[in-house]
Amino acid sequence: MTSTDWDPSKPILEIENLSISFFTRLREIPAVMDFSCTVMPGEAMGLVGESGCGKSTVALAVMRDLGKNGRIVGGKIKFKGRDLTTMSEEELRHIRGSEIAMIYQEPMASLNPAMKIGAQLAEVPMIHQGMSKHDAWELARQIVADVRLPDPDRIINAYPHQLSGGQQQRIVIAMALMSKPALLILDEPTTALDVTVEAGIVDLVKDLGHKYGTSMLFISHNLGLVMDVCDRLCVMYSGEAVETGNVVQVFDKMRHPYTQALFRSIPLPGADKNSRPLVAIPGNFPLPHERPQGCNFGPRCDYFQQGRCNAADIPMDTVPEGDRHQTRCLKWAEIDWDAPLKARVTKEKAKIGKVVLKMEDLRKYYSVSGSAFGGGMKKVVKANETLSFEAHEGETLAIVGESGCGKSTFAKVLMGLETATSGSIMLFDENVESTPITKRNVDTVSSVQMVFQNPFDTLNPSMTVGRQIIRALEIFKQGKSDEERHARMLELLDLVKLPRAFAERMPRQLSGGQKQRVGIARAFAGGAKVVVADEPVSALDVSVQAAVTDLLMDIQRENGTTLLFISHDLSIVRYLSDRVMVMYLGHVVEMGTTDQVFQPPYHPYTEALLSAVPIADTKVERKRIVLEGDIPSAVNPPPGCPFQTRCRWKSQVPGGLCDREMPPVQVLEGGHQIKCHLSADILARMEPVIKIAAE
Amino acid sequence: MLMFILRRLGVMMLTAFALTFIVFSLTNLQPNLEKLAKSEASVRMTDDQVVSWIANNGFDTPMISRYGQWLGVVPGWVKTMEDGEVRGRCIEKGADPAAAPVRCGLLQGDWGVSTVFKKPVSQILGRSLGQTGWLMLAVMLVMVPTALILGVLSGMREGSRTDRVLSTGAIITTATPEYVSGVIFIALFASATVGVSPLLVHLGLLGSPDALFGARKTLFMGTATSAMDHITFWNFALPVMTIALYGIGYIARMTRASMTEVMTAQYIRTARLKGVSFRQVVMKHALRNALIAPFTVIMLQFPWLLNGVVIVETLFNYKGFGWTLVQAATNNDIEMLLGCSVVAVFVVLVTQLISDVGYVFLNPRIRLA
Amino acid sequence: MDTLSWFQIIAAMAGRFLPVWVALVVTYTLSITFKRRLGLYGKLFDSPVGMIGFGVVMFWVFTAIFANWIITMDPLAQFSGSKNAVPGSALKAPDEGAYGYLLLGADHVARDVFSRMVMGSRVVLQIAPAATVFAFMVGITLGLPAGYFGGKLDTGLSFLANLVLAFPVILLFYLLVTPEIVKTGIPTWFAAILFVFPIVFFVILFNSRFFTNPAKRNLYVGAVLVIGIWAYSGLAFNLDPLGIWSMDPNLLNVFVSVVFVNSPGVFRIVRGMVMDIKTRDYVAAGQTRGEGPWYIMLWEILPNARGPLIVDFCLRIGYTTILLGTLGFFGLGVSPESPDWGSTIDDGRKLLSMVPHPALAPALALMSLVLGLNLLADGLREESLKD
């Protein structure tokens, strides 16, 4: 099938001036314009950008799978020298899966729920190489072992839902590798996974890429991940490639204002909410049919020059001294790229006051039925175990952990949506442990409020923004008349820096970041003293994240609010929190000030978590610690220490103590708590995971 | 799994008792009994006579006790008349009261005697169910494959011309209840004055012994009475099509919805981008997932099919279960109506059970969870 | 006078429907002009399927409204010598100034088929939408708490709903819609229970929203109670002192049965939607604000379930129309004289293979109305998904 005359020193994939549009009943919506990139054999190319920038559309165009409404309106996609855009459906079918394979974001959704894993894997060589069923299954078994899954014989006979998310993603990777493709397209392959699982997948992809010599097109919104995996990258903004080059060059010597703004808005080590705050990109991402004339980034750019940047379409320009480094900026040669950020506002540190919230020995158990049919034994899920901590006025306490660690349950108990099984919650010297929210008085309710994770879910879609804030005011008994409440609502909109005209809008007319701001305004309607923010920015694009985080910090500073910041993202936690609490399977495994937690000694889990978070900084050196396996289920936790199944330090504890006994809480210097059996001297010998190379 | 089936069975039994009790109470209301008295004994009875007739025939005990007797868990009533005759639920006229069984009800296989047909209910039910069985079999054979094929074809490529034509067809048939489609079919195909039959007679294809379609005056027969003895295409096609038509539209729409949903699923894209041909994508990857939902729908169609059966058997004068039910209901034949209700409730509940259990079996996600 | 040709019949009928055409043209002109300001209703005019469906439905609605002007004869009058007359027949002895043709012929007792069909639309469109509204009130009022609270309440209510759904409809009708039942007074008690739901629904609706503002709350709840109890006493017990609200006992029986059969279906849909929507963050936000459960159910959840409920409402009116037809077809409940479509089909079917037109006209009318409703539902579904 493959063209034998293809020269391996030539690019494997060449995209030239590709333009893609989607056609709706009303109009043509250009999704990608004038996009070019080249992938050499064995090279890993990263496509980076915020949601809606067209990076996934490029990938689907390479697969020629744009759906009914999408069409390639210009340019060429050459794969091994042959133009994919003009190929027939039949020719494409021979290339798909055998020469180009794709890996998607949602592993569960990409596997057929009614087919065994083996059958889904074996199908590929059976179609493309005409392999016999027996040989194909044998190969499937081998590849399953290759992607480091335990017990391949069991797995190839399993159905997808019997595997965990991380295992499913490994199967999807195995499927892509079944016929040793020349090009692998990965579309946000780890976004749906936990960080420690993600680290394992990333390692696997890198190793397999080297082993099979596969070229990769790696699509991600995460700059750190791209740095880990790719050799070269291409930054996209609003349907265009704005900068392309090799990873180190683009990271260290970016030549496009958007790339620069992007790096300034992500929390890298060294950023600090008070002394070195993040710089959000002003304005909003343009909608595809509302793109500006000339440079798409123009309206948000610091270096914008009227009459020049918005005059005509801007071509890609080559940066001379770079390695195939190109930028779509007219002024790149004039800008002083090393100039320090002007007018960097340093903010005063908020004062930390008295204790407002104190939890002691909090436990929350759920009983769930044993099987899907409602029968069987009742099982107990221990969502929270002996949770104790206190939070002060004006303080940010971060609660960190991966899925299933019990952080959301904890929030529910605190809010009064669930009642605790035992223990006490003292809120301003009042015990609210067993008081459900319906029994709490208005003052208590209005002083503890929550900001939710999903911006698309946090507002009622069929009520205007103003109405929703006014309702909160009514319930919290704020204002004496409707007029007063209306005025207060407008003030709240000012507080979260939204135009007052938004009061009359419906939530669907708002962007994700704007919705999240309304959610914050609503939470502060009753003058909240304690705000639980459950991953408030994790669903937002990086450039918007910075703005929303800063908003939260500003309001906190003004009101002396206690912020409980629940997150899995350690970068942002390091940036904004005063103290950190790390949770694993319902237990607090480590707690201390931000500095204590991010410096050795660590709890082994914190150590692994720190090492797993990708950091988009070429000067940072990370020690790679990849955890084996998945997070155990809370229904069936391991005996002894909850982390013992994945701990790399386990052998250092004598007598198999980890298997038998729950570790005690060791209180180290400065009130730093670690729940671990490791002896003090071993803890003291731990090395830091992250080192910042001297500049 | 076993627990699940047992629990379902338990709920089903509870439902069955509740339903039969409701039916029993509604058929044994006082006005019904008075009407029964007048029709059984004499139309010109005085009110006092009616009361004593009701008492003498054991209808004066509390409803719950009569329900128990009818089920066969409570001993049947026994009464000594003023003339010394011993009468009872289980005592046949003229038979020795001592030799009669204590209980006689559903559980003992005694379903009572029909007042309209003057025969044991079980005998009539057996015969009419047999007739209806043939009808249902034919309906199922026509309906299920047609509906599934049409649904899959139109859901396979959403928005295509085939899809639009088939979907429109399905909407039209679901808007056509049996009594409408039956009337239209008869007018079109079984009327000597309008429709296709006069045309065929005119062309010489019908109406004479040597004609292509036979010597009849109409292409199809407007009644299915003759089908009770001998089923032919010409006397059976119209009733079968009438029942099947509504179901075809309904199931096809469900199948289409399920199929379109599956076809947009991520794993179908995965399969397509593995290089699987469209045919194989549909056959191997989409079909099984897409047929889980329609299976439940087909099973839950039974209460509605029963409706269709009643209408069609009345319209085409086919003396099956539906016809019997109508006769029993319109003639205040209490025992017969109860018998019919038991069968109907049983059929509905069993199909529900099959649907529940089958869904679990078809769906590996639930089965092995 | 001669018998009219088919062309003449169609022209004459189109002429009789003139008020309907005028009303349709006005409706469409206004709607299309202002469609961008009319929300979901306006968007209906973007979908050809929805427009056709809406047109058919509105055709019958306007026919029912203007029926008195459209009919050519008294629908109950019998015209001697015209028994089973074919469509377009001239009357043997027309009265002075009266219409001279039986446009769609006459039935077996020599009544005008066309006029009966037109009048029949009035009967159907009086009962079907109203019964569906009541079924929705019952289904929503019970489905919301069942889905929201779950647990024992849900188990109990779902069991009851499944009980009713397990009844073959026809059997239920034969048991419920009989003269004997009317004698026992059971329908009145049914009505007494079912008709309470709308009052309960609106009282809770306003109370949960305005309890923070007692003046407003008292106004709204008071108004609901006054109007509700007034209508309730009239409809359920025929005790309205002013005599405005009342219902014929037979009609009440039919109405109550249809509501009873439809409610469990609505209950199931509402319950399913609530179980889905209650996991959303805005519901949690309401809870963390300390909102009462009924506020969350009625003001946070219900408005967001409206799309599928509106679609089901249209489908269910169609289904109710079919049920009413079924009742008429078996001669249950309504008076034998009634021109409703089901009864007319039943009347016509005895001579079906000889004289099909008396049964065909109402059959096609019923089918077109249900088809219109189904198309309308499809159009609405399509447009509401586009949001």
Side-chain angles (χ1 to χ4, degrees):
Chain A
M1 266 331 290
T2 55
S3 42
T4 42
D5 50 341
W6 175 68
D7 172 5
S9 67
K10 293 265 177 62
I12 197 150
L13 180 73
E14 263 184 295
I15 303 178
E16 289 168 18
N17 308 103
L18 180 70
S19 293
I20 303 162
S21 285
F22 288 93
F23 293 86
T24 68
R25 226 169 13 181
L26 295 174
R27 58 181 153 240
E28 174 186 348
I29 297 173
V32 173
M33 285 105 53
D34 186 31
F35 178 89
S36 304
C37 94
T38 313
V39 182
M40 300 300 285
E43 196 173 66
M45 176 78 175
L47 275 186
V48 190
E50 295 174 87
S51 55
C53 71
K55 53 193 193 300
S56 296
T57 312
V58 170
L60 290 175
V62 174
M63 291 309 264
R64 283 279 311 279
D65 189 57
L66 288 165
K68 265 188 298 213
N69 302 324
R71 210 180 309 151
I72 295 173
V73 289
K76 283 189 184 134
I77 304 172
K78 280 200 235 157
F79 174 73
K80 292 190 175 174
R82 298 162 69 206
D83 190 359
L84 290 170
T85 56
T86 55
M87 268 192 199
S88 72
E89 203 50 38
E90 189 57 25
E91 286 173 291
L92 280 172
R93 211 161 63 65
H94 288 291
I95 287 188
R96 289 173 179 166
S98 83
E99 301 220 36
I100 310 179
M102 188 155 174
I103 293 165
Y104 320 82
Q105 184 166 355
E106 289 280 340
M108 180 68 197
S110 352
L111 295 170
N112 189 334
M115 263 169 99
K116 284 187 180 169
I117 299 287
Q120 299 191 48
L121 290 175
E123 200 177 33
V124 180
M126 283 160 74
I127 296 168
H128 294 293
Q129 278 106 48
M131 206 180 263
S132 75
K133 192 176 172 194
H134 180 264
D135 292 350
W137 276 73
E138 192 45 49
L139 181 68
R141 210 202 74 90
Q142 211 180 314
I143 302 264
V144 167
D146 254 15
V147 293
R148 298 176 210 151
L149 279 170
D151 199 359
D153 290 308
R154 183 184 66 84
I155 285 187
I156 57 171
N157 280 309
Y159 284 98
H161 67 271
Q162 293 166 302
L163 309 180
S164 70
Q167 289 176 324
Q168 285 169 354
Q169 194 58 298
R170 281 167 197 261
I171 292 298
V172 175
I173 293 172
M175 194 149 77
L177 294 174
M178 280 302 283
S179 59
K180 313 244 176 345
L183 177 66
L184 192 58
I185 302 175
L186 302 101
D187 188 358
E188 306 257 7
T190 56
T191 308
L193 305 173
D194 277 315
V195 235
T196 53
V197 181
E198 172 183 85
I201 299 276
V202 168
D203 261 22
L204 175 74
V205 167
K206 276 201 305 198
D207 289 357
L208 292 174
H210 289 303
K211 183 172 167 190
Y212 294 110
T214 315
S215 306
M216 279 189 269
L217 194 58
F218 187 90
I219 296 160
S220 179
H221 66 279
N222 188 333
L223 286 165
L225 211 54
V226 168
M227 195 187 93
D228 274 359
V229 180
C230 302
D231 311 309
R232 298 179 59 77
L233 91 164
C234 174
V235 182
M236 289 187 77
Y237 180 79
S238 192
E240 289 176 332
V242 293
E243 183 163 8
T244 171
N246 80 39
V247 170
V248 179
Q249 254 169 18
V250 173
F251 274 52
D252 292 348
K253 291 183 184 152
M254 67 272 289
R255 287 296 174 263
H256 194 280
Y258 174 64
T259 320
Q260 188 186 39
L262 207 55
F263 274 98
R264 286 180 178 171
S265 66
I266 56 175
L268 296 174
D272 180 276
K273 62 176 167 178
N274 296 314
S275 59
R276 283 186 62 192
L278 301 180
V279 186
I281 307 179
N284 279 312
F285 201 79
L287 292 172
H289 53 275
E290 290 169 357
R291 290 193 180 114
Q293 173 88 28
C295 178
N296 281 343
F297 188 60
R300 304 174 73 186
C301 181
D302 290 342
Y303 310 103
F304 180 72
Q305 192 179 352
Q306 180 68 30
R308 183 171 166 204
C309 294
N310 59 356
D313 284 350
I314 295 162
M316 278 300 237
D317 193 7
T318 309
V319 179
E321 67 269 32
D323 159 31
R324 289 183 284 149
H325 190 167
Q326 287 185 311
T327 171
R328 198 185 287 274
C329 180
L330 290 174
K331 300 179 69 185
W332 73 265
E334 303 154 30
I335 297 169
D336 175 9
W337 294 99
D338 298 322
L341 253 183
K342 54 177 184 276
R344 169 174 270 162
V345 218
T346 48
K347 288 168 180 166
E348 208 172 301
K349 201 170 179 324
K351 244 190 29 242
I352 293 187
K354 61 181 193 324
V355 175
V356 290
L357 175 72
K358 189 172 181 196
M359 291 212 174
E360 254 169 59
D361 275 344
L362 183 86
R363 281 167 212 261
K364 175 66 191 172
Y365 294 172
Y366 289 103
S367 66
V368 293
S369 54
S371 78
F373 308 119
M377 294 278 287
K378 291 269 180 196
K379 285 184 182 161
V380 174
V381 179
K382 297 177 179 173
N384 288 148
E385 276 275 25
T386 56
L387 210 62
S388 307
F389 70 89
E390 44 193 47
H392 302 260
E393 193 182 302
E395 180 186 51
T396 307
L397 173 65
I399 299 163
V400 179
E402 296 174 281
S403 57
C405 74
K407 53 192 199 291
S408 301
T409 307
F410 152 76
K412 278 187 191 158
V413 172
L414 175 60
M415 300 306 301
L417 297 179
E418 308 261 0
T419 50
T421 311
S422 70
S424 73
I425 306 175
M426 301 295 290
L427 197 64
F428 316 108
D429 306 322
E430 181 193 354
N431 192 353
V432 294
E433 164 249 326
S434 54
T435 321
I437 190 144
T438 42
K439 300 262 166 53
R440 294 184 182 181
N441 63 40
V442 175
D443 278 348
T444 318
V445 170
S446 62
S447 59
V448 189
Q449 280 297 297
M450 190 156 172
V451 177
F452 294 88
Q453 174 176 15
N454 187 346
F456 299 95
D457 228 26
T458 184
L459 300 181
N460 184 340
S462 42
M463 226 189 255
T464 62
V465 165
R467 182 67 241 155
Q468 304 201 33
I469 298 177
I470 289 180
R471 178 68 194 179
L473 291 170
E474 282 174 7
I475 284 292
F476 295 152
K477 299 204 165 68
Q478 302 282 310
K480 288 186 189 66
S481 62
D482 286 357
E483 292 71 40
E484 241 174 76
R485 281 189 282 265
H486 192 258
R488 177 85 186 111
M489 179 268 289
L490 294 177
E491 284 169 32
L492 282 166
L493 285 180
D494 296 343
L495 178 73
V496 294
K497 302 190 178 89
L498 285 177
R500 290 188 163 199
F502 274 34
E504 301 306 317
R505 302 244 177 118
M506 293 307 265
R508 65 166 179 278
Q509 295 165 291
L510 272 56
S511 72
Q514 289 165 341
K515 284 183 198 173
Q516 211 57 325
R517 283 164 191 262
V518 177
I520 293 171
R522 191 178 53 187
F524 282 94
K529 292 279 178 289
V530 178
V531 168
V532 181
D534 186 0
E535 311 244 10
V537 296
S538 67
L540 302 175
D541 275 319
V542 272
S543 68
V544 186
Q545 274 186 8
V548 175
T549 324
D550 272 1
L551 175 70
L552 266 176
M553 292 294 109
D554 286 346
I555 298 178
Q556 180 187 33
R557 247 179 237 116
E558 271 167 44
N559 302 357
T561 320
T562 307
L563 190 64
L564 297 184
F565 191 89
I566 299 178
S567 181
H568 69 277
D569 182 351
L570 283 172
S571 313
I572 201 137
V573 165
R574 174 170 41 207
Y575 170 69
L576 58 73
S577 59
D578 301 310
R579 284 198 302 141
V580 179
M581 184 165 112
V582 182
M583 290 183 73
Y584 188 78
L585 278 184
H587 293 264
V588 177
V589 293
E590 182 169 0
M591 180 156 66
T593 64
T594 309
D595 285 342
Q596 288 169 342
V597 173
F598 282 82
Q599 304 289 336
Y602 309 108
H603 183 278
Y605 174 62
T606 317
E607 183 192 31
L609 208 54
L610 276 172
S611 124
V613 180
I615 297 169
D617 192 333
T618 49
K619 292 182 284 294
V620 170
E621 272 176 44
R622 267 188 303 153
K623 197 156 74 180
R624 291 298 279 173
I625 302 163
V626 175
L627 291 181
E628 292 296 314
D630 291 306
I631 303 170
S633 144
V635 184
N636 196 8
C641 173
F643 189 59
Q644 52 114 334
T645 51
R646 302 167 80 197
C647 184
R648 71 178 188 126
W649 294 87
K650 194 175 160 187
S651 55
Q652 308 275 334
V653 177
L657 210 55
C658 297
D659 293 325
R660 284 180 281 115
E661 267 175 54
M662 180 63 67
V665 177
Q666 305 186 37
V667 181
L668 308 176
E669 197 184 342
H672 183 196
Q673 300 176 11
I674 292 181
K675 199 178 215 175
C676 189
H677 284 301
L678 283 176
S679 60
D681 61 309
I682 297 181
L683 286 174
R685 271 188 278 126
M686 273 189 179
E687 286 174 8
V689 177
I690 297 171
K691 273 186 238 156
I692 301 178
E695 287 188 41
Chain B
M1 188 71 214
L2 193 68
M3 267 309 286
F4 168 70
I5 293 177
L6 284 179
R7 275 171 61 96
R8 292 294 320 169
L9 272 175
V11 174
M12 181 182 146
M13 291 304 292
L14 193 64
T15 315
F17 281 118
L19 285 181
T20 47
F21 182 70
I22 293 169
V23 175
F24 189 86
S25 333
L26 286 176
T27 47
N28 281 276
L29 291 170
Q30 203 60 26
N32 294 61
L33 296 178
E34 284 164 17
K35 199 170 157 194
L36 180 73
K38 288 184 180 166
S39 63
E40 283 299 286
S42 151
V43 187
R44 278 184 288 277
M45 280 203 290
T46 62
D47 286 353
D48 285 344
Q49 281 172 315
V50 168
V51 171
S52 74
W53 187 91
I54 287 174
N56 288 345
N57 285 282
F59 289 118
D60 57 345
T61 47
M63 189 73 83
I64 188 81
S65 131
R66 272 184 283 153
Y67 175 67
Q69 293 179 27
W70 173 75
L71 270 183
V73 290
V74 173
W77 56 273
V78 179
K79 267 201 179 106
T80 315
M81 298 291 113
E82 283 161 12
D83 56 3
E85 185 196 350
V86 179
R87 282 213 212 166
R89 180 185 162 84
C90 308
I91 304 166
E92 281 180 45
K93 261 216 156 72
D96 177 15
V102 182
R103 292 179 186 83
C104 53
L106 232 47
L107 296 178
Q108 285 76 31
D110 188 344
W111 294 51
V113 176
S114 159
T115 51
V116 175
F117 302 100
K118 310 285 179 215
K119 277 184 194 155
V121 168
S122 47
Q123 191 185 332
I124 296 170
L125 269 182
R127 200 195 60 215
S128 62
L129 277 176
Q131 300 291 358
T132 299
W134 287 112
L135 188 61
M136 287 295 241
L137 180 70
V139 168
M140 279 297 176
L141 287 179
V142 173
M143 184 175 79
V144 176
T146 322
L148 291 183
I149 290 170
L150 291 183
V152 168
L153 280 180
S154 76
M156 204 163 74
R157 293 181 200 268
E158 193 186 359
S160 65
R161 185 185 297 266
T162 332
D163 177 29
R164 261 179 269 148
V165 171
L166 291 178
S167 298
T168 315
I171 289 192
I172 293 175
T173 67
T174 46
T176 319
E178 290 84 353
Y179 51 88
V180 170
S181 51
V183 163
I184 295 174
F185 278 145
I186 292 179
L188 270 184
F189 300 112
S191 164
T193 53
V194 291
V196 293
S197 307
L199 199 70
L200 290 174
V201 172
H202 183 73
L203 292 173
L205 296 172
L206 193 71
S208 58
D210 54 342
L212 179 62
F213 295 121
R216 280 165 285 112
K217 283 276 168 10
T218 58
L219 182 59
F220 287 97
M221 321 252 292
T223 79
T225 318
S226 59
M228 290 190 293
D229 304 319
H230 181 64
I231 294 173
T232 67
F233 180 69
W234 304 111
N235 63 21
F236 217 48
L238 287 190
V240 169
M241 276 316 293
T242 306
I243 302 180
L245 199 65
Y246 186 89
I248 288 176
Y250 190 73
I251 298 174
R253 286 183 80 176
M254 291 293 156
T255 316
R256 175 185 178 274
S258 168
M259 189 73 188
T260 49
E261 197 191 316
V262 168
M263 286 306 283
T264 54
Q266 179 83 53
Y267 59 83
I268 293 299
R269 169 175 274 177
T270 313
R272 208 166 54 227
L273 298 189
K274 272 199 287 197
V276 182
S277 64
F278 184 75
R279 218 186 122 78
Q280 283 296 310
V281 167
V282 173
M283 300 299 286
K284 226 171 134 183
H285 290 263
L287 217 52
R288 173 157 175 199
N289 289 298
L291 289 184
I292 295 173
F295 171 79
T296 335
V297 174
I298 293 172
M299 283 299 153
L300 295 179
Q301 269 288 292
F302 269 88
W304 185 263
L305 277 183
L306 225 55
N307 238 11
V309 165
V310 176
I311 293 170
V312 163
E313 290 187 358
T314 311
L315 191 60
F316 288 91
N317 209 16
Y318 182 79
K319 296 186 174 97
F321 176 75
W323 184 86
T324 312
L325 190 142
V326 172
Q327 294 305 316
T330 44
N331 294 310
N332 198 34
D333 187 346
I334 295 177
E335 300 272 15
M336 190 68 233
L337 188 55
L338 277 172
C340 288
S341 309
V342 170
V343 172
V345 165
F346 181 76
V347 169
V348 168
L349 292 181
V350 167
T351 49
Q352 271 181 4
L353 184 74
I354 296 175
S355 140
D356 281 3
V357 176
Y359 182 77
V360 170
F361 261 103
L362 279 178
N363 198 340
R365 259 174 296 190
I366 298 183
R367 183 175 8 137
L368 301 160
Chain C
M1 284 193 285
D2 295 329
T3 300
L4 298 176
S5 71
W6 274 108
F7 178 76
Q8 285 169 311
I9 295 175
I10 291 170
M13 284 204 296
R16 295 305 302 182
F17 279 116
L18 188 67
V20 175
W21 305 131
V22 173
L24 277 179
V25 168
V26 171
T27 313
Y28 269 72
T29 321
L30 285 179
S31 306
I32 293 177
T33 316
F34 298 112
K35 70 176 178 184
R36 289 286 159 249
R37 281 196 254 156
L38 293 169
L40 182 61
Y41 169 76
K43 270 196 261 165
L44 194 59
F45 294 87
D46 287 335
S47 140
V49 173
M51 270 214 287
I52 295 171
F54 182 69
V56 176
V57 173
M58 286 321 282
F59 173 87
W60 285 112
V61 170
F62 289 131
T63 304
I65 293 172
F66 303 123
N68 286 336
W69 299 345
I70 297 168
I71 51 169
T72 51
M73 323 268 167
D74 177 359
L76 300 181
Q78 303 179 357
F79 301 94
S80 57
S82 296
K83 203 166 135 185
N84 294 332
V86 296
S89 304
L91 273 185
K92 290 273 161 35
D95 289 340
E96 199 63 31
Y99 200 79
Y101 292 95
L102 297 159
L103 284 175
L104 288 177
D107 63 8
H108 66 291
V109 284
R111 291 174 299 193
D112 181 42
V113 172
F114 175 73
S115 301
R116 286 180 69 76
M117 178 189 83
V118 170
M119 265 305 172
S121 71
R122 193 172 261 194
V123 180
V124 171
L125 285 168
Q126 266 172 351
I127 305 178
T132 314
V133 168
F134 273 85
F136 263 74
M137 287 289 145
V138 178
I140 289 174
T141 317
L142 295 177
L144 285 175
Y148 187 74
F149 294 118
K152 292 236 162 38
L153 179 76
D154 181 29
T155 316
L157 286 174
S158 295
F159 178 77
L160 286 182
N162 288 335
L163 208 64
V164 180
L165 286 173
F167 256 116
V169 183
I170 202 90
L171 180 64
L172 203 63
F173 279 159
Y174 263 121
L175 294 174
L176 283 182
V177 191
T178 59
E180 287 79 30
I181 286 257
V182 178
K183 270 190 234 162
T184 59
I186 290 178
T188 311
W189 288 110
F190 253 132
I193 297 169
L194 293 178
F195 290 180
V196 166
F197 282 98
I199 304 180
V200 172
F201 176 82
F202 282 108
V203 167
I204 300 176
L205 183 76
F206 289 122
N207 185 45
S208 64
R209 171 82 147 73
F210 294 112
F211 75 93
T212 51
N213 185 345
K216 248 189 199 168
R217 187 257 313 265
N218 295 345
L219 175 71
Y220 286 122
V221 170
V224 169
L225 284 177
V226 169
I227 299 173
I229 292 174
W230 175 32
Y232 179 74
S233 60
L235 292 178
F237 299 106
N238 218 352
L239 286 177
D240 176 15
L242 302 178
I244 295 176
W245 302 98
S246 76
M247 228 191 231
D248 170 66
N250 275 325
L251 187 64
L252 182 75
N253 192 1
V254 170
F255 192 83
V256 165
S257 311
V258 174
V259 172
F260 184 69
V261 169
N262 265 319
S263 309
V266 182
F267 168 84
R268 285 232 284 219
I269 292 175
V270 173
R271 176 178 167 271
M273 303 270 323
V274 173
M275 301 226 291
D276 175 25
I277 297 178
K278 78 172 175 184
T279 59
R280 302 291 163 87
D281 280 350
Y282 53 83
V283 172
Q287 290 167 336
T288 54
R289 243 196 341 254
E291 297 277 13
W294 283 101
Y295 176 85
I296 292 177
M297 282 183 246
L298 290 168
W299 292 93
E300 301 273 359
I301 296 178
L302 193 59
N304 295 306
R306 67 181 185 277
L309 288 183
I310 292 172
V311 170
D312 184 68
F313 184 72
C314 293
L315 288 175
R316 210 161 274 283
I317 296 178
Y319 179 68
T320 311
T321 308
I322 292 181
L323 285 184
L324 289 173
T326 313
L327 279 171
F329 181 79
F330 287 109
L332 292 171
V334 277
S335 70
E337 290 274 86
S338 157
D340 79 279
W341 293 335
S343 313
T344 328
I345 297 172
D346 183 37
D347 279 346
R349 74 181 167 90
K350 280 133 202 163
L351 288 169
L352 197 54
S353 50
M354 299 293 131
V355 206
H357 63 265
L360 266 184
L364 292 175
L366 188 142
M367 184 184 142
S368 67
L369 174 60
V370 179
L371 180 61
L373 285 162
N374 284 5
L375 291 176
L376 177 61
D378 250 38
L380 284 172
R381 183 186 350 235
E382 206 176 287
E383 291 303 319
S384 70
L385 282 182
K386 274 191 190 147
D387 239 354

